[in-house]
Amino acid sequence: MDALFQPDGDWQRLGDVAVVSHRVNSLALNLLASIGLLVGVWILTNGDLLWVGAAAVAAASWTTWRVIRIGRWIRSFGFREGERDLLITHGLWYKSLTAIPYGRMLSVEVTTGPVSRLWGLADVQLITASHRSNAQIPALRATDAARLRDHLIALGEKQALPL
Amino acid sequence: MIDPPLDGVQTPEPEPAHSADPDAVPPQAGPPEPKRTERPHPLTPLIRGWVVSLALIIGLGREILGWFTESRPLPPLQLLLGGIGGIAVIAVLIGLASWLATRFVIDADELRIESGILLRKSQRIAFDKVTSIDVLQPLAARIFALAELEIDIGSSERVKLRYLTRARSYSLRDYLLSRAHSHQAELVHTEDPGLQLGDLSAEDEVLVQVPPQRLLLGAVTSNEFIGLLITIIITVTAAAIAAPYFGGPVLVLALGVSAISGIGGFVVRRLTGQFNFTLSSRPAGLRISRGLTSLTSQSVPPRRIQLVRLSQSLWWRRFGWYRAEIDVLGMGMRNEEDTHASVSSVLLPVADHAQVRLVLARIWPEADWESIQLHPAPFRARWLHPVAGPFLGLGHDDLLVVSRHGWLERRWDLVPHARVQSIRIDQGPVSRKLGLADLAFHTAGSRLHPHAYGLDANHVLERQDELIMLAQAHRSDITLAPAARPAAPADQPGPEALRADQAEATISDTE
């Protein structure tokens, strides 16, 4: 990755658990969608095997692509706890780098859903006064997420900036 | 709690002030006298009933017109009138009940509104959370010299007090605005300014007044108008060509009539909405008053302004005119229709360069957007931005970031570093091949999204640290002139004060 989206520093990546969990999620969702698609095609074409076969190939290749892709996307994710700001980078084709000064944080949220709880994962979201900041770090280990939250809150309180 | 003296409070209402809770036993420690609470004006239920029945009459009228054309039998007149009358009476009764249930306190130490018939709601608002206050005068209320007070506290719901006497509305507005700036203010009784098109008091200093001619010319030369015109010309031409095969000249005529009414409607809306647009300055902030059919006056505390966007329609370049829009913290999802009695984000509908300078100097005295050197986007950016390419640019000094973009409508986004919440750099696959990057500045406003497009990636790389540093630098209030600034940074709240500032704006509870 180039210097634009990854300035020097101690970058933290998401762990293998995050990659595996996202791959499994993606696989499950895409398989469900594929089955739906195949049933739809079956009904629409009155069971024409040629069409159903073509749809199956398309669905299988899409699913494979998505499963590989989501893993790479999660690996592209990184964050850096700087001295005064948090940097978050992600993206494969559309890369982005978000910088949030600690002083601008209003709160930090840790959320976890039923599926990610199975993996012992949680998302950390930084809330600033701007709803467009969208600073989310997905799929951290729950303990890491809690630690990060407390750390960020402590830094934010120390460096608070006026709204 | 010891009650501060209430001499500042006056109750110009005809009815005596009500005690909050006459049966309440005063607590042992520091027995305060019951707070003086007020009710809205007693005519309120009548006006609200009138509004409901008017809406009803218009709605029913449309239905009946429909019946006429379908030549259906009409229901008996008595039934109709009785129905309307009945609903109007119910509306008045509901209005009466809600009027009885509504009380408010605005005094030296609190701003509290109690309302609700079944669900009692007590809303207490911190003075410094008030972002803007508007005095609205719909026609029905105007007749009785009443007005509605709308308090914006940054949440999606605006607190409404209706209806108060006009004088009371204005004095409360002035008081709350001063308190919002943490001035110690006295609630003074202002004289009823009477029915008037403008809304100025003695301490107001008029900065910009937009004459109707310029408003008209501005509307006619705006991109929206030209776009409307082009659409209509295309439709009517197409209809004229197709006419022999379909409806004949009637089709063209019908289209033409609706086209003309569309154009007329656009111009009239612009004119009546922004009629007599006056931007004035008073100690507590800026004030906008405008409108022909319903007078809207809106207060804008400069501290809450997140960014200013100047924009210029295609033809306005020739006149050197600009339109200035602002995004204010807590303006929420205000509509863009800058026409009716609703609050809009337009700071200046049509203004020349000198006026823009004047107003910006009021908002951010030290910031000078014109002296900022803009770095143009590199030539290769024209692959992605063929028309806007030569105009794109970004620059900053230690107070402001200026981004220039847009093609049919040229835009300058002026964002103070002090209002930037976070910064994002974006790069898509094509941009990466070209060595370009985009920047987005996130502010607390929700309507305008300041961006800079097609920048040289290396340039961004060099600047990103600096921009991020500037976004988090502690500095004194950008809205104050150096002379007006306190020597000790008393205005600079410490971390604790900030936490309190960011706490929930309203404490409301429902029973």
Side-chain angles (χ1 to χ4, degrees):
Chain A
M1 234 196 256
D2 53 312
L4 183 57
F5 292 99
Q6 202 167 342
D8 295 337
D10 175 22
W11 284 87
Q12 301 181 50
R13 298 282 163 192
L14 303 177
D16 288 334
V17 188
V19 175
V20 174
S21 77
H22 274 81
R23 285 208 166 128
V24 171
N25 280 354
S26 162
L27 185 67
L29 281 176
N30 278 297
L31 280 183
L32 265 179
S34 304
I35 291 169
L37 178 80
L38 289 184
V39 170
V41 170
W42 181 277
I43 292 168
L44 279 177
T45 60
N46 287 324
D48 188 334
L49 281 183
L50 193 68
W51 279 105
V52 176
V57 170
S61 35
W62 170 257
T63 305
T64 319
W65 158 251
R66 286 312 305 164
V67 169
I68 295 173
R69 196 73 182 162
I70 191 78
R72 294 189 54 202
W73 193 87
I74 289 292
R75 287 211 190 281
S76 80
F77 206 98
F79 63 97
R80 191 192 86 180
E81 293 171 63
E83 231 170 81
R84 303 190 57 188
D85 49 17
L86 182 80
L87 297 184
I88 300 177
T89 184
H90 59 80
L92 296 167
W93 280 358
Y94 291 91
K95 289 186 198 296
S96 81
L97 173 76
T98 310
I100 307 112
Y102 295 131
R104 297 289 192 202
M105 289 185 317
L106 299 183
S107 65
V108 182
E109 276 178 15
V110 175
T111 52
T112 169
V115 179
S116 45
R117 207 159 25 230
L118 285 180
W119 295 93
L121 298 177
D123 300 345
V124 175
Q125 170 123 38
L126 273 68
I127 313 282
T128 71
S130 168
H131 64 108
R132 303 185 70 240
S133 288
N134 188 27
Q136 200 181 20
I137 304 173
L140 284 170
R141 267 196 301 276
T143 45
D144 288 349
R147 184 202 61 81
L148 182 63
R149 176 196 59 199
D150 296 344
H151 185 55
L152 291 177
I153 288 286
L155 286 171
E157 276 177 356
K158 223 179 284 170
Q159 304 183 2
L161 293 166
L163 198 58
Chain B
M1 267 269 295
I2 293 155
D3 252 23
L6 292 170
D7 17 337
V9 185
Q10 303 196 7
T11 46
E13 313 295 340
E15 86 279 13
H18 292 266
S19 319
D21 204 348
D23 302 315
V25 182
Q28 293 307 94
E33 56 186 90
K35 282 239 175 198
R36 288 211 258 164
T37 59
E38 278 177 54
R39 281 207 175 114
H41 197 271
L43 279 174
T44 304
L46 271 183
I47 293 171
R48 297 183 74 171
W50 165 247
V51 170
V52 168
S53 38
L54 199 68
L56 209 67
I57 287 169
I58 291 170
L60 267 179
R62 276 205 192 135
E63 276 294 297
I64 288 168
L65 276 180
W67 286 347
F68 262 122
T69 48
E70 289 166 34
S71 63
R72 259 205 271 166
L74 284 178
L77 192 64
Q78 293 96 316
L79 196 75
L80 270 181
L81 287 182
I84 292 175
I87 293 175
V89 166
I90 292 171
V92 170
L93 284 180
I94 292 176
L96 192 66
S98 99
W99 174 74
L100 279 171
T102 304
R103 286 194 169 137
F104 65 93
V105 185
I106 298 180
D107 65 16
D109 61 350
E110 69 173 340
L111 157 55
R112 194 183 58 199
I113 296 163
E114 278 165 32
S115 60
I117 308 167
L118 291 175
L119 283 174
R120 300 279 305 144
K121 186 170 155 192
S122 168
Q123 201 168 21
R124 192 171 162 179
I125 300 162
F127 284 111
D128 59 344
K129 283 291 149 192
V130 174
T131 54
S132 69
I133 304 169
D134 311 316
V135 176
L136 305 181
Q137 295 180 35
L139 195 61
R142 236 184 193 190
I143 293 169
F144 298 101
L146 298 182
E148 175 181 339
L149 205 62
E150 247 191 40
I151 304 171
D152 193 342
I153 48 169
S155 68
S156 54
E157 198 190 351
R158 297 161 72 83
V159 180
K160 288 174 182 172
L161 265 181
R162 61 189 170 196
Y163 294 96
L164 310 173
T165 59
R166 198 152 43 207
R168 184 69 178 152
S169 312
Y170 283 128
S171 68
L172 284 179
R173 196 259 320 266
D174 292 348
Y175 175 71
L176 289 176
L177 264 188
S178 321
R179 287 301 302 261
H181 289 257
S182 67
H183 293 309
Q184 279 306 317
E186 283 272 290
L187 186 52
V188 285
H189 178 65
T190 46
E191 287 303 314
D192 185 354
L195 186 61
Q196 57 184 26
L197 290 176
D199 159 34
L200 292 170
S201 66
E203 51 179 336
D204 283 353
E205 178 196 346
V206 175
L207 294 179
V208 175
Q209 197 151 25
V210 184
Q213 303 92 300
R214 179 179 281 194
L215 215 50
L216 184 66
L217 197 57
V220 174
T221 52
S222 68
N223 276 353
E224 292 96 325
F225 184 81
I226 293 165
L228 194 66
L229 215 59
I230 290 172
T231 334
I232 285 168
I233 288 170
I234 291 174
T235 336
V236 171
T237 324
I241 293 169
Y245 311 102
F246 294 102
V250 180
L251 178 71
V252 181
L253 196 70
L255 270 176
V257 167
S258 66
I260 287 167
S261 71
I263 291 179
F266 174 79
V267 173
V268 166
R269 257 181 292 136
R270 273 280 166 98
L271 262 183
T272 53
Q274 311 282 24
F275 190 81
N276 200 15
F277 192 101
T278 308
L279 183 71
S280 50
S281 163
R282 47 173 39 201
L286 295 176
R287 179 136 119 243
I288 295 167
S289 75
R290 64 194 170 82
L292 181 66
T293 47
S294 68
L295 179 70
T296 307
S297 61
Q298 177 183 350
S299 306
V300 186
R303 257 181 55 203
R304 303 274 171 174
I305 295 179
Q306 303 292 314
L307 73 130
V308 174
R309 169 175 286 176
L310 303 177
S311 56
Q312 201 170 38
S313 288
L314 208 55
W315 278 18
W316 289 15
R317 290 180 209 172
R318 199 160 293 183
F319 305 124
W321 286 351
Y322 300 86
R323 174 186 168 92
E325 285 168 274
I326 47 172
D327 210 350
V328 173
L329 177 66
M331 200 121 85
M333 307 301 279
R334 300 310 298 183
N335 54 351
E336 229 167 307
E337 274 292 301
D338 34 285
T339 50
H340 289 295
S342 61
V343 181
S344 85
S345 61
V346 177
L347 182 67
L348 290 169
V350 196
D352 56 35
H353 190 253
Q355 290 171 326
V356 171
R357 274 189 74 100
L358 177 72
V359 172
L360 277 174
R362 283 306 166 106
I363 301 176
W364 301 319
E366 279 186 276
D368 183 10
W369 61 287
E370 285 167 304
S371 69
I372 295 174
Q373 183 77 41
L374 293 185
H375 295 270
F379 191 79
R380 56 184 190 279
R382 296 189 195 178
W383 288 104
L384 271 176
H385 307 277
V387 187
F391 185 65
L392 294 175
L394 175 77
H396 68 89
D397 63 2
D398 39 336
L399 285 175
L400 282 184
V401 183
V402 179
S403 163
R404 205 168 58 171
H405 58 95
W407 50 291
L408 271 181
E409 186 182 74
R410 292 184 160 178
R411 296 183 176 137
W412 290 258
D413 287 344
L414 317 180
V415 192
H417 292 297
R419 303 282 182 268
V420 174
Q421 304 291 325
S422 57
I423 298 175
R424 199 179 69 219
I425 306 171
D426 287 302
Q427 193 179 48
V430 183
S431 294
R432 184 153 50 251
K433 285 273 176 297
L434 293 170
L436 302 173
D438 300 337
L439 270 178
F441 299 93
H442 301 147
T443 66
S446 52
R447 278 201 55 252
L448 307 175
H449 307 311
H451 278 280
Y453 300 103
L455 304 167
D456 188 351
N458 287 324
H459 182 71
V460 174
L461 186 61
E462 285 162 25
R463 300 298 154 114
Q464 62 180 3
D465 286 342
E466 199 184 337
L467 283 172
I468 294 167
M469 284 310 290
L470 282 167
Q472 49 189 292
H474 274 281
R475 60 167 68 79
S476 33
D477 198 339
I478 173 172
T479 58
L480 297 180
R485 201 175 282 154
D491 224 30
Q492 197 92 314
E496 297 79 26
L498 276 168
R499 290 299 132 191
D501 193 44
Q502 284 149 6
E504 203 57 46
T506 45
I507 305 154
S508 55
D509 53 277
T510 25
E511 283 164 20

